[in-house]
Amino acid sequence: MTSFNFEIPTIETESLILRAPLESDLDALEVFNQSERSHLIGGPLDRANCWRVISNGIGHWALRGFGMWHIHHKADDRMIGACGFIIREGWDEPELGWNVHDGYEGKGYAFEAAMAARTHGATHLDLNGILSYIDPTNHRSFALSTRMGAYFERQGSLRGEVADIYRHPTTGDTT
Amino acid sequence: MTLRHAQAPTGIPSALAANVAAQIPTLVSDALLLRAPLVEDFSLYAEVMCSERGQYMGGPLSRDDAWWGFVQLASGWMLHGHGGWSIVDVDSEELLGFVILGLEPGDQQIELGVLVSESNEGLSIAHEAAQMARTFAFDTLKLTELASYIHKDNTRSITLAERLGAKRTVHDDTILAYIHTNEAVQ
């Protein structure tokens, strides 16, 4: 088989590793996408569609040169969410997005992952001062974007649903 | 104006995307070039799959579902070491269609699938592109068998599969599986 010499960048933080989506993440994705909380980001999804999430995540990197990481919890050695950059039809520009699976929310992991992703995007991917679309009922993500220093820019829409658009501060060149 | 999501990558990400594209093998014949799929190629893919012409390939699909299918052309290379190509005219580089060595969970075999734009139907493009991908699968990847899953009413694709010498089997009530066998490894 042809082997690919392309690596989706890995980012290590104190508790987490942001890494490429893997097919072995399918079980963790399926559990999350059955949950109530997945409804905020397009769930629920069956197993076949969870596989397409993985394919789509990897293909996003291949076709666009940036994308989402899966968040790996170092101590528990498991995938606990996803974080990174996405643009698709219906998006005005690339978004910084995140989600954390049940049992791991409210522990600062989303903040840790999103800050690391944002810094990497600004310094390595030409993604600086980007936006996040937040469902107005998603108070946890609103709180996180505020904690990250993002500010409310305008109300917009994403795929026919009302979304609040938060703008992240630009990062100076720290390289 | 082309919307941002439909544009080719720019800046640093364009170098990363180009690195992936450069590693997808390019296949050439007298008439056709099979090359890495690009974001800009999606509009043609959607034109086929979101129209009535997609009816025998699980469509007509929504734009979102078409995108998920399109992305597999690229992600397959990174997940499995085989995937899809955009078919272009070797001289003009005009985009003509797509061909894939695909694999989804539940598939018994790697699938050989091809689609061409409406204006390029009946010009032997699908036949030639399918042959090129199949030869790559057998000679380079050393695969022994491929399957083409075809709706029983899709006479155009059935004709193509038979012209390619694939063996007709029944997959389920509506789908035929045409099996391509690598004679060299029998």
mmCIF file of all heavy atoms in Angstrom, chain A residues 71-95:
data_model
loop_
_atom_site.group_PDB
_atom_site.id
_atom_site.type_symbol
_atom_site.label_atom_id
_atom_site.label_comp_id
_atom_site.label_asym_id
_atom_site.label_seq_id
_atom_site.Cartn_x
_atom_site.Cartn_y
_atom_site.Cartn_z
ATOM 1 N N ILE A 71 -9.179 15.442 20.531
ATOM 2 C CA ILE A 71 -8.534 15.739 21.810
ATOM 3 C C ILE A 71 -8.330 14.423 22.559
ATOM 4 O O ILE A 71 -9.292 13.701 22.832
ATOM 5 C CB ILE A 71 -9.409 16.685 22.663
ATOM 6 C CG1 ILE A 71 -9.742 17.978 21.895
ATOM 7 C CG2 ILE A 71 -8.709 17.001 23.979
ATOM 8 C CD1 ILE A 71 -10.797 18.849 22.595
ATOM 9 N N HIS A 72 -7.071 14.141 22.845
ATOM 10 C CA HIS A 72 -6.727 12.907 23.553
ATOM 11 C C HIS A 72 -6.330 13.263 24.983
ATOM 12 O O HIS A 72 -5.465 14.111 25.202
ATOM 13 C CB HIS A 72 -5.576 12.219 22.823
ATOM 14 C CG HIS A 72 -5.381 10.800 23.234
ATOM 15 N ND1 HIS A 72 -6.045 9.756 22.627
ATOM 16 C CD2 HIS A 72 -4.604 10.251 24.204
ATOM 17 C CE1 HIS A 72 -5.678 8.617 23.207
ATOM 18 N NE2 HIS A 72 -4.814 8.890 24.164
ATOM 19 N N HIS A 73 -6.999 12.627 25.952
ATOM 20 C CA HIS A 73 -6.705 12.881 27.365
ATOM 21 C C HIS A 73 -5.528 12.004 27.771
ATOM 22 O O HIS A 73 -5.611 10.776 27.724
ATOM 23 C CB HIS A 73 -7.957 12.548 28.198
ATOM 24 C CG HIS A 73 -7.856 12.954 29.633
ATOM 25 N ND1 HIS A 73 -7.145 12.237 30.566
ATOM 26 C CD2 HIS A 73 -8.384 14.015 30.292
ATOM 27 C CE1 HIS A 73 -7.239 12.827 31.740
ATOM 28 N NE2 HIS A 73 -7.977 13.918 31.598
ATOM 29 N N LYS A 74 -4.438 12.639 28.162
ATOM 30 C CA LYS A 74 -3.195 11.883 28.402
ATOM 31 C C LYS A 74 -3.347 10.877 29.541
ATOM 32 O O LYS A 74 -3.030 9.699 29.392
ATOM 33 C CB LYS A 74 -2.040 12.846 28.720
ATOM 34 C CG LYS A 74 -1.522 13.566 27.486
ATOM 35 C CD LYS A 74 -0.141 14.165 27.732
ATOM 36 C CE LYS A 74 -0.237 15.527 28.356
ATOM 37 N NZ LYS A 74 1.052 16.267 28.336
ATOM 38 N N ALA A 75 -3.862 11.342 30.690
ATOM 39 C CA ALA A 75 -3.915 10.456 31.857
ATOM 40 C C ALA A 75 -4.877 9.290 31.635
ATOM 41 O O ALA A 75 -4.588 8.155 32.029
ATOM 42 C CB ALA A 75 -4.319 11.260 33.098
ATOM 43 N N ASP A 76 -5.997 9.564 30.988
ATOM 44 C CA ASP A 76 -6.997 8.503 30.778
ATOM 45 C C ASP A 76 -6.771 7.758 29.461
ATOM 46 O O ASP A 76 -7.475 6.766 29.197
ATOM 47 C CB ASP A 76 -8.416 9.088 30.796
ATOM 48 C CG ASP A 76 -8.811 9.583 32.184
ATOM 49 O OD1 ASP A 76 -8.010 9.398 33.124
ATOM 50 O OD2 ASP A 76 -9.901 10.168 32.323
ATOM 51 N N ASP A 77 -5.848 8.239 28.653
ATOM 52 C CA ASP A 77 -5.507 7.602 27.377
ATOM 53 C C ASP A 77 -6.738 7.330 26.523
ATOM 54 O O ASP A 77 -6.971 6.220 26.065
ATOM 55 C CB ASP A 77 -4.720 6.298 27.630
ATOM 56 C CG ASP A 77 -4.136 5.735 26.326
ATOM 57 O OD1 ASP A 77 -3.921 6.525 25.384
ATOM 58 O OD2 ASP A 77 -3.911 4.515 26.263
ATOM 59 N N ARG A 78 -7.539 8.372 26.316
ATOM 60 C CA ARG A 78 -8.718 8.209 25.469
ATOM 61 C C ARG A 78 -9.107 9.527 24.810
ATOM 62 O O ARG A 78 -8.747 10.600 25.283
ATOM 63 C CB ARG A 78 -9.900 7.663 26.280
ATOM 64 C CG ARG A 78 -10.261 8.516 27.472
ATOM 65 C CD ARG A 78 -11.508 8.013 28.164
ATOM 66 N NE ARG A 78 -12.679 8.194 27.323
ATOM 67 C CZ ARG A 78 -13.921 7.952 27.736
ATOM 68 N NH1 ARG A 78 -14.147 7.508 28.953
ATOM 69 N NH2 ARG A 78 -14.948 8.150 26.931
ATOM 70 N N MET A 79 -9.863 9.412 23.724
ATOM 71 C CA MET A 79 -10.380 10.598 23.053
ATOM 72 C C MET A 79 -11.518 11.183 23.873
ATOM 73 O O MET A 79 -12.441 10.471 24.267
ATOM 74 C CB MET A 79 -10.908 10.221 21.666
ATOM 75 C CG MET A 79 -11.505 11.406 20.921
ATOM 76 S SD MET A 79 -12.585 10.891 19.558
ATOM 77 C CE MET A 79 -13.272 12.505 19.092
ATOM 78 N N ILE A 80 -11.460 12.493 24.119
ATOM 79 C CA ILE A 80 -12.511 13.112 24.938
ATOM 80 C C ILE A 80 -13.203 14.265 24.213
ATOM 81 O O ILE A 80 -14.023 14.963 24.817
ATOM 82 C CB ILE A 80 -11.950 13.618 26.288
ATOM 83 C CG1 ILE A 80 -10.893 14.707 26.067
ATOM 84 C CG2 ILE A 80 -11.383 12.455 27.105
ATOM 85 C CD1 ILE A 80 -10.694 15.597 27.287
ATOM 86 N N GLY A 81 -12.881 14.477 22.939
ATOM 87 C CA GLY A 81 -13.549 15.570 22.234
ATOM 88 C C GLY A 81 -12.802 15.942 20.982
ATOM 89 O O GLY A 81 -11.932 15.186 20.512
ATOM 90 N N ALA A 82 -13.156 17.086 20.432
ATOM 91 C CA ALA A 82 -12.509 17.563 19.209
ATOM 92 C C ALA A 82 -12.414 19.077 19.266
ATOM 93 O O ALA A 82 -13.201 19.746 19.951
ATOM 94 C CB ALA A 82 -13.303 17.142 17.977
ATOM 95 N N CYS A 83 -11.437 19.604 18.548
ATOM 96 C CA CYS A 83 -11.179 21.035 18.607
ATOM 97 C C CYS A 83 -10.373 21.415 17.377
ATOM 98 O O CYS A 83 -9.531 20.639 16.920
ATOM 99 C CB CYS A 83 -10.390 21.317 19.877
ATOM 100 S SG CYS A 83 -9.851 23.004 20.025
ATOM 101 N N GLY A 84 -10.630 22.577 16.831
ATOM 102 C CA GLY A 84 -9.818 23.027 15.699
ATOM 103 C C GLY A 84 -10.625 23.863 14.736
ATOM 104 O O GLY A 84 -11.595 24.519 15.127
ATOM 105 N N PHE A 85 -10.213 23.824 13.479
ATOM 106 C CA PHE A 85 -10.717 24.777 12.490
ATOM 107 C C PHE A 85 -11.555 24.076 11.439
ATOM 108 O O PHE A 85 -11.203 23.006 10.954
ATOM 109 C CB PHE A 85 -9.532 25.489 11.834
ATOM 110 C CG PHE A 85 -8.633 26.133 12.838
ATOM 111 C CD1 PHE A 85 -7.420 25.549 13.175
ATOM 112 C CD2 PHE A 85 -9.024 27.292 13.493
ATOM 113 C CE1 PHE A 85 -6.599 26.134 14.133
ATOM 114 C CE2 PHE A 85 -8.211 27.876 14.450
ATOM 115 C CZ PHE A 85 -6.998 27.293 14.770
ATOM 116 N N ILE A 86 -12.639 24.707 11.097
ATOM 117 C CA ILE A 86 -13.537 24.103 10.110
ATOM 118 C C ILE A 86 -14.128 25.188 9.227
ATOM 119 O O ILE A 86 -14.445 26.292 9.687
ATOM 120 C CB ILE A 86 -14.650 23.292 10.824
ATOM 121 C CG1 ILE A 86 -15.532 22.572 9.819
ATOM 122 C CG2 ILE A 86 -15.489 24.159 11.742
ATOM 123 C CD1 ILE A 86 -16.452 21.540 10.450
ATOM 124 N N ILE A 87 -14.235 24.875 7.934
ATOM 125 C CA ILE A 87 -15.031 25.710 7.029
ATOM 126 C C ILE A 87 -15.742 24.779 6.062
ATOM 127 O O ILE A 87 -15.145 23.821 5.565
ATOM 128 C CB ILE A 87 -14.198 26.773 6.278
ATOM 129 C CG1 ILE A 87 -15.132 27.625 5.409
ATOM 130 C CG2 ILE A 87 -13.074 26.147 5.452
ATOM 131 C CD1 ILE A 87 -14.496 28.895 4.877
ATOM 132 N N ARG A 88 -17.011 25.033 5.880
ATOM 133 C CA ARG A 88 -17.797 24.273 4.909
ATOM 134 C C ARG A 88 -18.794 25.219 4.287
ATOM 135 O O ARG A 88 -18.910 26.380 4.680
ATOM 136 C CB ARG A 88 -18.546 23.120 5.611
ATOM 137 C CG ARG A 88 -17.708 21.887 5.777
ATOM 138 C CD ARG A 88 -18.402 20.877 6.647
ATOM 139 N NE ARG A 88 -19.599 20.327 6.026
ATOM 140 C CZ ARG A 88 -20.420 19.490 6.666
ATOM 141 N NH1 ARG A 88 -20.173 19.135 7.906
ATOM 142 N NH2 ARG A 88 -21.485 19.016 6.062
ATOM 143 N N GLU A 89 -19.546 24.678 3.339
ATOM 144 C CA GLU A 89 -20.607 25.467 2.738
ATOM 145 C C GLU A 89 -21.520 25.945 3.853
ATOM 146 O O GLU A 89 -21.941 25.142 4.693
ATOM 147 C CB GLU A 89 -21.375 24.593 1.753
ATOM 148 C CG GLU A 89 -22.202 25.379 0.787
ATOM 149 C CD GLU A 89 -22.502 24.554 -0.460
ATOM 150 O OE1 GLU A 89 -21.575 24.318 -1.248
ATOM 151 O OE2 GLU A 89 -23.658 24.144 -0.631
ATOM 152 N N GLY A 90 -21.827 27.226 3.879
ATOM 153 C CA GLY A 90 -22.666 27.781 4.932
ATOM 154 C C GLY A 90 -21.860 28.581 5.948
ATOM 155 O O GLY A 90 -22.404 29.380 6.697
ATOM 156 N N TRP A 91 -20.521 28.352 5.967
ATOM 157 C CA TRP A 91 -19.641 29.114 6.845
ATOM 158 C C TRP A 91 -19.111 30.336 6.065
ATOM 159 O O TRP A 91 -18.727 30.195 4.902
ATOM 160 C CB TRP A 91 -18.446 28.276 7.270
ATOM 161 C CG TRP A 91 -18.572 27.447 8.504
ATOM 162 C CD1 TRP A 91 -17.917 27.655 9.676
ATOM 163 C CD2 TRP A 91 -19.330 26.234 8.694
ATOM 164 N NE1 TRP A 91 -18.239 26.668 10.589
ATOM 165 C CE2 TRP A 91 -19.104 25.788 10.018
ATOM 166 C CE3 TRP A 91 -20.207 25.497 7.897
ATOM 167 C CZ2 TRP A 91 -19.697 24.634 10.538
ATOM 168 C CZ3 TRP A 91 -20.796 24.349 8.418
ATOM 169 C CH2 TRP A 91 -20.549 23.946 9.712
ATOM 170 N N ASP A 92 -19.077 31.513 6.720
ATOM 171 C CA ASP A 92 -18.526 32.696 6.038
ATOM 172 C C ASP A 92 -17.019 32.616 5.936
ATOM 173 O O ASP A 92 -16.413 33.103 4.991
ATOM 174 C CB ASP A 92 -18.876 33.973 6.820
ATOM 175 C CG ASP A 92 -20.385 34.207 6.857
ATOM 176 O OD1 ASP A 92 -21.080 33.731 5.938
ATOM 177 O OD2 ASP A 92 -20.859 34.866 7.803
ATOM 178 N N GLU A 93 -16.385 32.054 6.947
ATOM 179 C CA GLU A 93 -14.923 31.961 7.015
ATOM 180 C C GLU A 93 -14.585 30.847 8.004
ATOM 181 O O GLU A 93 -15.483 30.339 8.673
ATOM 182 C CB GLU A 93 -14.324 33.308 7.451
ATOM 183 C CG GLU A 93 -14.940 33.863 8.730
ATOM 184 C CD GLU A 93 -14.373 35.231 9.099
ATOM 185 O OE1 GLU A 93 -13.239 35.264 9.617
ATOM 186 O OE2 GLU A 93 -15.075 36.254 8.907
ATOM 187 N N PRO A 94 -13.307 30.464 8.084
ATOM 188 C CA PRO A 94 -12.974 29.354 8.989
ATOM 189 C C PRO A 94 -13.344 29.674 10.435
ATOM 190 O O PRO A 94 -13.208 30.807 10.898
ATOM 191 C CB PRO A 94 -11.455 29.208 8.838
ATOM 192 C CG PRO A 94 -11.140 29.820 7.516
ATOM 193 C CD PRO A 94 -12.130 30.937 7.341
ATOM 194 N N GLU A 95 -13.798 28.654 11.130
ATOM 195 C CA GLU A 95 -14.248 28.789 12.503
ATOM 196 C C GLU A 95 -13.332 28.006 13.431
ATOM 197 O O GLU A 95 -12.846 26.925 13.063
ATOM 198 C CB GLU A 95 -15.672 28.213 12.614
ATOM 199 C CG GLU A 95 -16.167 28.160 14.049
ATOM 200 C CD GLU A 95 -17.460 27.370 14.249
ATOM 201 O OE1 GLU A 95 -17.844 26.597 13.351
ATOM 202 O OE2 GLU A 95 -18.052 27.525 15.324
#
